[in-house]
Amino acid sequence: MKKNKLSIIFSLILLLMATTGMAADNTQITYNISFPEAQAHYADIELKITGLKQDELELKMPVWTPGSYLIREFERNIESLRASANNKPLAAVKTRKNIWKLHTAGIDAVTVKYRVYAFEISVRTSFIDATHAFLSSPDMFLYPGNMLHAPATIHIKPYKEWNAVSTSLEKVNGDTFTRYSPDFDILFDSPIEIGNQDIFNFDADGVHYEVCMQGGGNYDKERLKNDLAKIVAEEVAIYGENPNKHYTFIVHNALKSGGGLEHLSSTTLGASRDAYATDRGYQNFLSLAAHEHFHLWNVKRLRPIVLGPFDYDNEAYTTNLWIAEGFTAYYQDIIVRRTQLYTPENYLGVLAEDINLLENSEGAKVQTLSEASYDAWIKAYRPNENSGNSTISYYTKGSIIALLLDLEIINDSKGQYSLDDVMKYMYNEYYKIKKRGYTDAEFKAGLEKFANKNLDDFYAQYINGLTPVNYNHYLGFAGYKLTDELADTNEPTLGITTVPNIPRLFVATVTRNSAAWKDGINVNDEIIAINDEPVTEAGKLLTGKKVGDKIKVTVIRDGLSMDIPVTLLKSNKVKYKIEELPDAGAQQLAVRKKWLTLK
């Protein structure tokens, strides 16, 4: 390219920077948040931007939140947006569902006020009432579209007697109600809990941890401190470092709740407030905490290449959510096992449940693992009555794939390596050295490095194909096998589920290739009789019936009664348990010892 062309291009770039408004060094962004009507689920937000040097300013609302792969259109909850400059109204023209444009020629400061309605209870959406406010930042904060790298200060005016803030954002001058974010990627990755939550702390591997408990519960603080610290230590041991100075667990305890969402230096968890006192409930909570904390390496730093820097306007497609989420789902339970908080039997039971979940899914015969990852945006977060027949969870199958690879690597290296070594290598190579995410081919190469073999066939069968998993081949490396407890049964089934917790029998799902599927029972049918005998309980639909029986099912469909002849088929459900092989050899026992951290 000739010198005069370079000069012209450079001049055009300077002009473009001036007219499109790249954020100047002296631009200051401040949010003031108040809750004058918290009881009605509203936050009032005032956004102030000073130091402007541009003719136009676009204000945007993210349409999704990282870690939750669905376009959620948060802007639908914004009300009463008004802008002003120099104490005069300034037009804010909506140019897209999530964008407002302001003409700012000759203006160096603008103020924008708006209200946000927040009444969606989940770990990924904001919720406000008179007891507390949970702010999931992407659905609260408008941002200047060309200033993602600009810092922002957040001032919080609490509602009535609220006295605490829990977030990973840094305090300003020690003020808990004033927080600072170095850029918007950090702000959108830092949820904020405000209220009178119960807060306790612990330190692990030189990192300070805050645990915020909102909603009460029968938890034991000291026990949680000790056990969470053990989980942290086991996860740090894999990667060799904890990249945080501090980390925040925000836990929302409710009558029935679950799920979690990872962030760079924090997580939000949903838990059932009265489940901590049961072994299963407590172990489930530890497993969830281990999952989301593991994400601070896998996903938040070691990540598929499209998952950062983020495009907050559009989907970020990847075929690798089975690694990002599935591998994390595998580690959540093996980590708890390593702390000895699961017995080996506990762990193998949890593993068998995952296998049963996948193998009892008709979708496992339809959707590949890479497809499940890529289509998360349109399928995983939008399940319908047919999802079980057509889709799989990249969490569940991804965790099983991690299991297979872990066992294979341990076995083939004679205990020298495990999947841990792959994760540490990829973290160092891509996050720390290359400072970017990995491609599908690069992660496959990392697996092959420690498996010491080509994985083309493995990928063709289990990642990009629909080959049934050969569980006994891999479990055999550790001297185990699967046994189906239902193998010798001959129980009939319609192949339906019904809507729970109501006194009538409405069909909720119909399983592919079941009797109901083949003979035409539909979702939303109300079953009222079998062979003219009234039925009101799902458990008694087939009392006294056997495989091959021809029955008459009377249903109400769209207000009309109809009789449907059905031929009962055998249930093809499996119920696997993992058992020891009676003649496990020395190498199998050595693999088992390393895999399950046996003493």
Side-chain angles (χ1 to χ4, degrees), residues 475-546:
L475 289 171
F477 292 147
Y480 289 108
K481 66 174 182 177
L482 283 184
T483 300
D484 182 6
E485 296 181 284
L486 301 180
D488 296 327
T489 62
N490 193 37
E491 296 297 321
T493 181
L494 279 174
I496 65 169
T497 64
T498 56
V499 177
N501 303 319
I502 62 172
R504 297 159 69 183
L505 297 180
F506 285 95
V507 176
T509 65
V510 177
T511 301
R512 186 187 298 272
N513 294 325
S514 67
W517 174 284
K518 290 177 179 292
D519 292 327
I521 294 176
N522 289 183
V523 168
N524 297 327
D525 285 351
E526 182 187 1
I527 299 176
I528 60 173
I530 301 290
N531 292 339
D532 297 323
E533 291 290 328
V535 291
T536 57
E537 297 180 43
K540 296 183 178 180
L541 279 173
L542 302 182
T543 299
K545 306 298 187 296
K546 62 183 184 296

Side-chain angles (χ1 to χ4, degrees), residues 333-525:
D333 293 312
I334 202 70
I335 287 293
V336 179
R337 166 60 209 143
R338 290 177 187 178
T339 65
Q340 310 296 312
L341 296 170
Y342 276 168
T343 66
E345 293 73 24
N346 283 149
Y347 174 70
L348 294 175
V350 169
L351 184 57
E353 288 178 2
D354 285 342
I355 293 172
N356 289 330
L357 189 61
L358 179 65
E359 293 306 310
N360 285 321
S361 167
E362 289 296 312
K365 303 170 186 175
V366 176
Q367 187 182 49
T368 69
L369 194 48
S370 56
E371 289 171 343
S373 297
Y374 197 86
D375 285 344
W377 293 94
I378 56 173
K379 295 188 177 183
Y381 288 87
R382 290 178 176 173
N384 62 22
E385 66 282 349
N386 196 48
S387 292
N389 291 320
S390 60
T391 66
I392 57 169
S393 165
Y394 49 78
Y395 286 81
T396 303
K397 189 171 182 180
S399 70
I400 290 169
I401 294 304
L403 163 72
L404 308 186
L405 290 165
D406 199 11
L407 288 170
E408 176 132 36
I409 293 170
I410 294 171
N411 180 72
D412 291 359
S413 69
K414 292 183 168 52
Q416 182 179 359
Y417 300 119
S418 71
L419 189 60
D420 292 7
D421 296 285
V422 178
M423 303 307 287
K424 183 176 182 180
Y425 167 77
M426 295 296 293
Y427 174 79
N428 288 330
E429 185 72 13
Y430 289 93
Y431 170 66
K432 298 188 72 175
I433 297 174
K434 290 185 169 64
K435 302 184 185 304
R436 64 168 175 83
Y438 56 81
T439 65
D440 181 82
E442 287 168 341
F443 200 94
K444 178 173 174 285
L447 289 168
E448 291 173 336
K449 176 181 176 68
F450 291 92
N452 197 29
K453 64 176 62 176
N454 182 288
L455 293 175
D456 286 355
D457 287 345
F458 185 93
Y459 265 66
Q461 292 174 10
Y462 297 142
I463 312 303
N464 302 315
L466 297 170
T467 303
V469 176
N470 187 349
Y471 294 101
N472 284 336
H473 172 72
Y474 294 93
L475 289 171
F477 292 147
Y480 289 108
K481 66 174 182 177
L482 283 184
T483 300
D484 182 6
E485 296 181 284
L486 301 180
D488 296 327
T489 62
N490 193 37
E491 296 297 321
T493 181
L494 279 174
I496 65 169
T497 64
T498 56
V499 177
N501 303 319
I502 62 172
R504 297 159 69 183
L505 297 180
F506 285 95
V507 176
T509 65
V510 177
T511 301
R512 186 187 298 272
N513 294 325
S514 67
W517 174 284
K518 290 177 179 292
D519 292 327
I521 294 176
N522 289 183
V523 168
N524 297 327
D525 285 351

Side-chain angles (χ1 to χ4, degrees), residues 76-109:
R76 72 190 189 280
N77 291 319
I78 290 182
E79 298 178 15
S80 306
L81 188 146
R82 299 290 183 269
S84 64
N86 300 319
N87 295 318
K88 296 180 180 179
L90 181 65
V93 179
K94 202 167 191 178
T95 59
R96 185 176 163 175
K97 61 184 178 182
N98 66 318
I99 299 175
W100 290 258
K101 182 177 288 187
L102 287 69
H103 291 284
T104 54
I107 295 173
D108 67 354

Side-chain angles (χ1 to χ4, degrees), residues 15-33:
L15 178 62
L16 182 64
M17 290 168 62
T19 56
T20 59
M22 294 186 71
D25 290 341
N26 63 347
T27 300
Q28 293 185 351
I29 300 172
T30 303
Y31 295 91
N32 294 295
I33 308 172

Side-chain angles (χ1 to χ4, degrees), residues 192-221:
I192 305 170
E193 176 70 28
I194 312 162
N196 298 311
Q197 58 269 28
D198 183 18
I199 297 173
F200 58 91
N201 303 276
F202 66 92
D203 293 314
D205 289 292
V207 177
H208 186 68
Y209 282 78
E210 175 182 307
V211 182
C212 148
M213 290 287 197
Q214 195 283 326
N218 58 0
Y219 52 87
D220 181 328
K221 292 183 190 179

